[in-house]
Amino acid sequence: MADSSPETRRKIDSLWPEILKRVPAKQLGICMCVSKKWNSLISSQTFISSHTNFISQTHQKSPNLFIIRTFSKQNPQKNPKESYLICSETLKTLTKKTFICPFKTKSGLQFRMVGSVNGVIFLSDDYFGNTYTYILWNPLVNCFIQLPKPRVCFKAIGPYMNVFGVGYDCLRDDYKVIRVVYPQRNDGLDEIPPLAELYSVKDGKWRSVSAENVGFCTIDLDWSVCFLRGSVHWVAYERFGVEKEWSHKSNLLLLFNVEKERFQIMRLPLELRDVCPSSLMVSECQGMLCVTHCVLVDNMLTGELVEFNLWVKKEYNHLSSWSKFVSVDVRGRLHQFVHLRKNGELIVSSKDNELLSYDPETKNAVVLAQGCPSLYDACSFVETLAFLNKDCKKMRSFLPEDNESDSSDDELLSPAKVEWANMGRFCAYMNQLQKYRRHF
């Protein structure tokens, strides 16, 4: 006869958080239907933080998810669609799941996908003028937070250029958005040092942070950004001279540590320090810091892209660990690099408006999607419960597993369409839980 003493039950109850944090985030929705106790446990901030940290660490060791933003050109005047493909991959296969963006931009076009951290995507409506619309969105649980208008704006300082980054402060269990603003001088150059402000989800407001040691300009032409090792990374460059008699000096990476809330720099390999800074793009692939160099025959605005070189930093804290991973001739075929897959294939856009998975060795390519080639974007992704217990504007349940790519916005957001598994699926999943118990 099983021991059902209170002490034994307490020991068993203490094990469930350790078991459940090993369960994929999406399937935890089923577990929340088991009992009120499990529902309370899984929706608690303590468990969400523990689960997020565990899943994130596992993802860094063996990343198999990334997200791609596409924008259809089938009928851009009538009903363009901004979609997000969450791709799960192994060495042989790639499966996709599509979410139609549930938000509408004030410009009526598309958001910029600034980045993703712990399953939270940061969207900015600034492609065609700054509307001060910024959204932190977890598509898995379909919860989002719309940020308030920053304090530094056109009305306060006049013309400016700004860049954003999103990161996670694991010490405070807090998601943060950093904004670096370069006011425009009378001669047209950006003011240095810039202004900087930080939004904290926990605090719910913007506040100023020091940028006095930032003597560099970040690139503003299709700027790229990534979050890795606790820091936001941008491509930047040094300049010297005054007024219009200035010259480009050297390229580097500008970093912002979200825990220390401090800016610092990282040097690039010698081969990339003197090229046009707008030809560089920073990203995170397979847990490594990557920089892509687009080689053109003329210039960034009118030149033809002939090849791109992908550099990776295998050991983050060592400058000498930069190495050229691959060099791809794109003359007449490909448009731009988007992402590096786990199997070594490249996610690239073509001049025929296609998104491709391209094998640089065999030169074979598989079509993943079709849309506007200049608006493809991608970053690593991990499914978590972030924002599940936050006081978000539109709190919804998990999205159904059979969500189709052609679902309308109303179908995507309607709680009546969001249903949990039936009893048969639930019983099957409870059997799967034994696997996680054995691994514990």
Side-chain angles (χ1 to χ4, degrees), residues 51-296:
H51 179 268
T52 298
N53 290 331
F54 181 84
I55 296 298
S56 298
Q57 292 172 5
T58 305
H59 176 78
Q60 289 179 0
K61 294 177 181 177
S62 181
N64 62 354
L65 280 178
F66 59 93
I67 189 167
I68 298 173
R69 193 277 305 278
T70 67
F71 188 76
S72 68
K73 282 184 63 178
Q74 297 175 356
N75 195 346
Q77 300 298 327
K78 184 178 179 181
N79 187 28
K81 287 187 177 181
E82 182 176 355
S83 305
Y84 292 84
L85 309 179
I86 296 181
C87 303
S88 176
E89 66 172 333
T90 64
L91 291 177
K92 295 183 179 180
T93 61
L94 180 67
T95 58
K96 300 175 295 177
K97 188 169 188 58
T98 305
F99 298 90
I100 303 299
C101 182
F103 313 109
K104 300 297 183 183
T105 68
K106 292 184 178 179
S107 63
L109 294 171
Q110 73 284 329
F111 286 92
R112 183 195 300 274
M113 185 172 73
V114 178
S116 171
V117 55
N118 291 348
V120 176
I121 304 171
F122 180 48
L123 304 177
S124 175
D125 184 11
D126 63 359
Y127 267 116
F128 299 95
N130 206 327
T131 64
Y132 305 110
T133 303
Y134 313 117
I135 296 173
L136 289 168
W137 173 45
N138 183 340
L140 179 68
V141 298
N142 211 6
C143 299
F144 71 93
I145 295 175
Q146 183 165 343
L147 279 60
K149 182 178 179 179
R151 296 185 299 177
V152 180
C153 59
F154 179 85
K155 187 176 181 180
I157 65 171
Y160 64 86
M161 187 279 290
N162 65 182
V163 294
F164 288 90
V166 59
Y168 175 69
D169 183 347
C170 60
L171 295 180
R172 296 188 70 223
D173 184 26
D174 191 13
Y175 293 85
K176 296 178 177 179
V177 174
I178 178 66
R179 180 174 182 246
V180 184
V181 183
Y182 293 85
Q184 189 178 80
R185 303 189 325 197
N186 293 333
D187 58 11
L189 294 180
D190 295 330
E191 189 72 45
I192 297 178
L195 305 173
E197 53 184 346
L198 187 75
Y199 176 83
S200 162
V201 169
K202 275 195 171 181
D203 298 337
K205 61 182 180 180
W206 293 95
R207 57 182 170 84
S208 299
V209 293
S210 175
E212 293 181 356
N213 63 331
V214 181
F216 322 100
C217 295
T218 54
I219 61 172
D220 60 345
L221 180 63
D222 291 332
W223 50 265
S224 60
V225 60
C226 79
F227 179 74
L228 183 66
R229 298 291 188 94
S231 294
V232 178
H233 301 67
W234 300 275
V235 175
Y237 59 92
E238 295 179 273
R239 73 182 188 205
F240 63 91
V242 293
E243 298 184 351
K244 296 185 179 180
E245 300 299 323
W246 70 274
S247 300
H248 166 255
K249 187 175 181 181
S250 179
N251 300 322
L252 46 80
L253 295 181
L254 178 64
L255 280 60
F256 179 77
N257 187 293
V258 297
E259 294 176 3
K260 299 178 181 178
E261 299 185 357
R262 185 188 313 164
F263 288 94
Q264 57 191 99
I265 64 170
M266 176 183 289
R267 295 294 176 183
L268 290 170
L270 290 173
E271 293 85 345
L272 300 180
R273 293 183 186 177
D274 295 325
V275 302
C276 175
S278 295
S279 68
L280 302 177
M281 182 180 76
V282 63
S283 61
E284 180 269 327
C285 298
Q286 301 181 23
M288 297 182 296
L289 185 63
C290 304
V291 173
T292 307
H293 176 212
C294 299
V295 182
L296 296 98

Side-chain angles (χ1 to χ4, degrees), residues 281-345:
M281 182 180 76
V282 63
S283 61
E284 180 269 327
C285 298
Q286 301 181 23
M288 297 182 296
L289 185 63
C290 304
V291 173
T292 307
H293 176 212
C294 299
V295 182
L296 296 98
V297 294
D298 192 0
N299 59 65
M300 279 300 296
L301 295 178
T302 62
E304 179 187 359
L305 180 65
V306 294
E307 73 174 23
F308 61 78
N309 303 313
L310 181 62
W311 293 74
V312 299
K313 197 172 190 184
K314 296 182 178 180
E315 295 184 33
Y316 183 80
N317 294 319
H318 295 280
L319 176 62
S320 59
S321 66
W322 283 108
S323 62
K324 186 184 292 186
F325 180 79
V326 67
S327 181
V328 180
D329 183 354
V330 300
R331 212 181 308 258
R333 293 177 298 167
L334 305 179
H335 180 72
Q336 68 177 15
F337 167 80
V338 178
H339 191 71
L340 172 65
R341 287 187 58 187
K342 184 177 180 180
N343 64 356
E345 292 188 7

Side-chain angles (χ1 to χ4, degrees), residues 96 350 353-357 365-370 376:
K96 300 175 295 177
S350 74
N353 303 336
E354 295 175 328
L355 185 69
L356 308 173
S357 181
V366 177
V367 178
L368 301 178
Q370 289 188 326
Y376 289 122

